Structure formats: C-alpha cells, structure tokens
Amino acid sequence: MQIAMLQDKIVPIEDLEPVYFDRGIYFGDGVYEVARSYDGKIFALKEHLQRFANSLAAIGITGVDIDEVRSRVHKAFEAAGILNANIYFHITRGSALRKHTWDASLEPIFFLTVTESGDNADDKAKGIAVSTHPDWRWRRCDIKSLNLLANVLARQDAAQKGCAEAILVDEAGLITEGSHSTFFAIFGQKLQTTPLTANILPSITRKSVIEAARNIGLTVAEQSLTLRQASHADELFIAGTTQDIVAVVRFDGQVIGDGKPGKYTMSLTQEFLKFTV
Ligand code: PDD
C-alpha cells in the first residue's frame, strides 16, 4: 500500500488532498507575483501580469489565461474590501506524485491572497539598517520563481543582525539586489542601480523609481555597485512593491549620510507616489 504520513498519522496516498502533491512544495515549481493597492487602486497590475506571463513562459507552464488571472485578481480584491492591500498570487505546475519530470497533462494550480499591507511609515520616516549577505541564488533571478530559500536565509540573517533587509552580493563583490527589494544609491545628482540582467528581478517599482528620478532631474546610471561604493554613497534606499521606497541609513553598521533619509530619497518617494494615484 502506498502511504503518506502527516505528522504522526498514516494516510493512504489516495486519500490525500491534491495540495499535498503540489509541485510548488516539492520543487518550488511555480511562479508568483505581489501587487499592491493604494487607497483602493491596484498599482501597475498590467506590468505585474506581463511579468507573470513572462515567468510562466520561462519555466514552460502553458495554457494559463492571463485575462482570467486579471479577473480573479479584481474579483478577490473587491471581495476583500481592503483599501491598502498586498495581492499575492502564484501558479504552480500542478499536482502529481513526486518525480522531477512532468506530464503535459498536469493542470496548473492557482492560489491568491489579499492581505492588509503593513504600515511601514516608521521605517520610511527613520530609514532602515541593512546588512549584506552572499547572493546564493540561481542564475535566473529574472524569473519570479517560488524558489526563495536563498532569499529567505539572507533575510533571516539580516533580521538576526537587527536589520530590515539583506543586500545580496555576488561572487565578484558586486551588489545584485535586496532579498525582496531593489537596491539604489545616490551620488550627487546621480541615481545608480544594478542593470537588468538575469541576476536580478526586473522590478516594477524599479521602473517607476527610474522614471521618478528623471522627473526630478537626477541622472540614472544602470551600473552595479561594489560594497565600498555603496557604503560611501550620499544616500541609499531600497524599493519594492510591498514597501515602495525606504531609505537605508545604515549599511553593514556604517552610517549613510547624516543617518537620516536623504533629500532625494524623500523627493523620489513623493514623485513615485504620484504614479499610484
Ligand atoms: N518582492 N527583487 C526581489 C528579489 C524581489 O523579491 C522583489 C519583490 C523586488 C522588487 O520588485 P517589485 O518592485 O516588482 O515588487 C526586487 C516581492 C514583493 C516579494 O517577494 O514579497
């Protein structure tokens, strides 16, 4: 008899819910998105859905109707009635007894949550401390895959050091991005961030931050930063969907600027928020 064990209970395999065989659990075999709403309006959903479609295509999950995903997002968002929400959704390749290869007949599994987006006003007002961590991730970080173990370990390491984000550093000593955010530096009137390669996620917020930077007269250099450069920046910040823009005031213990959110970080935040209205 083929069996499974759930905690201490033996269950015949055929009695298990399909969710226990989700390839997302065994292999992280799926892709996800996180969008958010500001005062009842979902920000950049079109871009999130486009990236979702790209991620699905990159790992060969086919047959997903993106228009259907869009309408599920709207339906769930309206049902939740949360004005400032994080909308998380993923699709895994399907459910099957564990084996590495998959059959074309598998049906993708959709899952979504709508939750309150946390209040990070305090972090934004005071700025955060970050610590660095080796980037242990795979070489296709442009795919928003469910495989987040390297991100999770780095983020937990930062938390244990009293830091609010882990900044990932590749083998050449260059900063890639944060564990769940994009990393930016400001030198004079220049905004600098990692170029879009397979090493980082093509962040939706990053795109808007770059647009906001140009709007306020900053030049933009898409160029990787060394640790030394970052620690000598005039201003540092991270950006991502769930937190938009948050100043970094300590980098591996070193105080950045005067230890408070910098003037360009603050005006970029104002400019960015205009896009969310
Ligand atoms: N993370 N880089 C990484 C590794 C990320 O996980 C994220 C977002 C970003 C910012 O991307 P965007 O601006 O499109 O949100 C950059 C999401 C929010 C998460 O995993 O919770």
Side-chain angles (χ1 to χ4, degrees):
M1 180 171 69
Q2 298 199 87
I3 55 123
M5 203 162 181
L6 291 178
Q7 306 291 36
D8 65 345
K9 200 166 142 240
I10 288 182
V11 190
I13 276 267
E14 59 272 17
D15 289 356
L16 278 186
E17 299 277 338
V19 71
Y20 288 107
F21 299 110
D22 192 322
R23 289 177 62 96
I25 298 176
Y26 293 124
F27 303 116
D29 188 0
V31 294
Y32 78 105
E33 275 299 324
V34 186
R36 74 155 287 188
S37 68
Y38 291 83
D39 291 331
K41 191 168 167 231
I42 304 175
F43 174 63
L45 183 58
K46 189 166 159 242
E47 287 82 354
H48 283 283
L49 289 171
Q50 182 57 57
R51 186 173 63 188
F52 194 52
N54 295 347
S55 295
L56 286 164
I59 69 164
I61 294 183
T62 54
V64 174
D65 179 352
I66 292 296
D67 288 334
E68 172 64 21
V69 174
R70 181 184 297 106
S71 62
R72 287 185 191 181
V73 167
H74 283 299
K75 187 175 165 190
F77 178 58
E78 276 154 35
I82 300 171
L83 290 181
N84 293 295
N86 287 345
I87 305 161
Y88 168 90
F89 53 97
H90 74 216
I91 285 184
T92 67
R93 196 178 304 279
S95 173
L97 271 185
R98 185 183 185 279
K99 68 171 179 167
H100 285 66
T101 53
W102 67 83
D103 299 329
S105 60
L106 277 192
E107 281 195 27
I109 298 170
F110 179 82
F111 178 74
L112 177 150
T113 59
V114 183
T115 56
E116 298 270 0
S117 54
D119 177 13
N120 69 342
D122 201 47
D123 279 353
K124 289 171 82 95
K126 293 187 187 138
I128 56 166
V130 302
S131 53
T132 57
H133 193 278
D135 191 342
W136 287 336
R137 299 174 303 164
W138 71 330
R139 293 182 195 168
R140 290 301 309 273
C141 298
D142 55 322
I143 302 171
K144 204 159 169 60
S145 121
L146 291 176
N147 286 279
L148 291 175
L149 188 55
N151 306 57
V152 165
L153 292 176
R155 177 66 189 90
Q156 189 66 19
D157 172 75
Q160 277 158 3
K161 293 172 176 157
C163 292
E165 176 60 308
I167 304 303
L168 306 176
V169 184
D170 71 13
E171 286 177 357
L174 297 172
I175 290 170
T176 52
E177 60 185 335
S179 73
H180 66 305
S181 62
T182 307
F183 184 71
F184 295 85
I186 294 175
F187 301 93
Q189 297 202 328
K190 180 183 78 175
L191 176 75
Q192 191 171 338
T193 193
T194 315
L196 287 184
T197 64
N199 295 339
I200 67 163
L201 185 76
S203 151
I204 311 292
T205 319
R206 176 188 186 280
K207 193 164 162 263
S208 296
V209 166
I210 288 176
E211 199 181 329
R214 295 199 168 114
N215 288 352
I216 65 164
L218 297 178
T219 58
V220 177
E222 295 185 57
Q223 229 166 46
S224 299
L225 290 143
T226 63
L227 293 183
R228 203 182 130 71
Q229 283 169 332
S231 60
H232 287 88
D234 296 322
E235 300 180 30
L236 295 177
F237 65 91
I238 58 167
T241 293
T242 50
Q243 57 211 328
D244 57 70
I245 296 172
V246 181
V248 168
V249 294
R250 270 179 183 270
F251 183 85
D252 271 345
Q254 186 156 337
V255 175
I256 303 301
D258 61 1
K260 295 193 190 111
K263 62 175 181 184
Y264 288 123
T265 304
M266 290 196 290
S267 47
L268 270 174
T269 305
Q270 293 313 313
E271 192 65 24
F272 171 82
L273 288 174
K274 289 184 193 165
F275 300 141
T276 67
V277 181

